[in-house]
């Protein structure tokens, strides 16, 4: 149970972070695309605003969960980092495959050969997912030892 809430916090924070970076860097700073590019620029800007709001909802939910597991004393840091990587990579792979290729609602960039961008985008996503899975496996192996090492002793000895 404690790992589930910890991982969920990391995943939501990862999704929010990936979406925020995507929206800030590729939509606002570089002007490479909008969340929805199959209409006018005005529609694209509104879609960016909705996308940005959604990313912050995920971030807030993830941070509220993080605060809750910290308050309860059930945070498993390695599991949280694993969840964060899964959220980052999962968002990026979903965006690169489903939104870019499946639905075609936008591309990473226009007027260039997309292959290097697609391979880089999706390759980084796969690396993040692999890192997240690795960290979660490590967390599942380390958690029982960590729990038992912090358990209070059953008897106390006093020396005189």
């Amino acid at each position: 149970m404690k790992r589930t809430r910890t991982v969920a916090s990391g995943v939501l924070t990862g999704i929010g972070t990936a979406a925020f970076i995507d929206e800030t860097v590729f939509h606002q700073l570089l002007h490479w695309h909008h969340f929805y590019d199959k209409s006018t620029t005005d529609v694209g800007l509104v879609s960016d605003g909705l996308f940005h709001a959604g990313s912050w909802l995920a971030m807030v939910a993830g941070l509220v969960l993080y605060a809750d597991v910290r308050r309860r004393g059930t945070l498993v840091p390695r599991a949280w980092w694993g969840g964060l990587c899964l959220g980052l990579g999962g968002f990026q792979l979903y965006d690169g495959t489903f939104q870019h290729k499946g639905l075609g609602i936008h591309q990473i960039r226009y007027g260039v050969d997309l292959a290097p961008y697609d391979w880089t985008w999706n390759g980084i996503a796969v690396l993040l997912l692999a890192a997240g899975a690795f960290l979660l496996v490590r967390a599942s192996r380390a958690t029982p030892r960590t729990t038992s090492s912090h358990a209070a002793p059953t008897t106390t000895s006093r020396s005189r």
Side-chain angles (χ1 to χ4, degrees), residues 9-147:
S9 167
V11 168
L12 286 168
T13 303
I15 290 169
T17 301
F20 174 76
I21 292 168
D22 179 23
E23 208 266 326
T24 301
V25 174
F26 299 105
H27 298 216
Q28 293 178 11
L29 296 175
L30 296 175
H31 300 271
W32 282 3
H33 63 262
H34 295 291
F35 179 75
Y36 185 75
D37 276 339
K38 291 186 169 267
S39 187
T40 65
T41 301
D42 288 342
V43 170
L45 288 172
V46 169
S47 72
D48 284 348
L50 294 172
F51 173 55
H52 192 65
S55 73
W56 277 106
L57 285 174
M59 179 66 78
V60 167
L63 293 176
V64 165
L65 270 175
Y66 181 84
D68 183 56
V69 295
R70 286 283 310 253
R71 181 184 57 79
R72 293 173 188 248
T74 58
L75 177 67
V76 180
R78 191 173 286 157
W80 187 84
W81 285 104
L84 182 81
C85 288
L86 288 180
L88 289 164
F91 172 85
Q92 193 158 330
L93 190 61
Y94 164 80
D95 184 44
T97 56
F98 189 68
Q99 290 183 356
H100 295 181
K101 301 304 174 199
L103 296 177
I105 61 174
H106 68 263
Q107 294 299 321
I108 294 174
R109 195 167 179 194
Y110 294 97
V112 297
D113 178 17
L114 288 175
Y117 290 93
D118 289 338
W119 280 104
T120 302
W121 189 263
N122 294 324
I124 291 170
V126 169
L127 290 174
L128 286 165
L129 287 168
F134 174 77
L135 289 169
L136 286 178
V137 167
R138 296 276 313 262
S140 68
R141 291 180 183 162
T143 301
R145 286 190 300 251
T146 304
T147 303

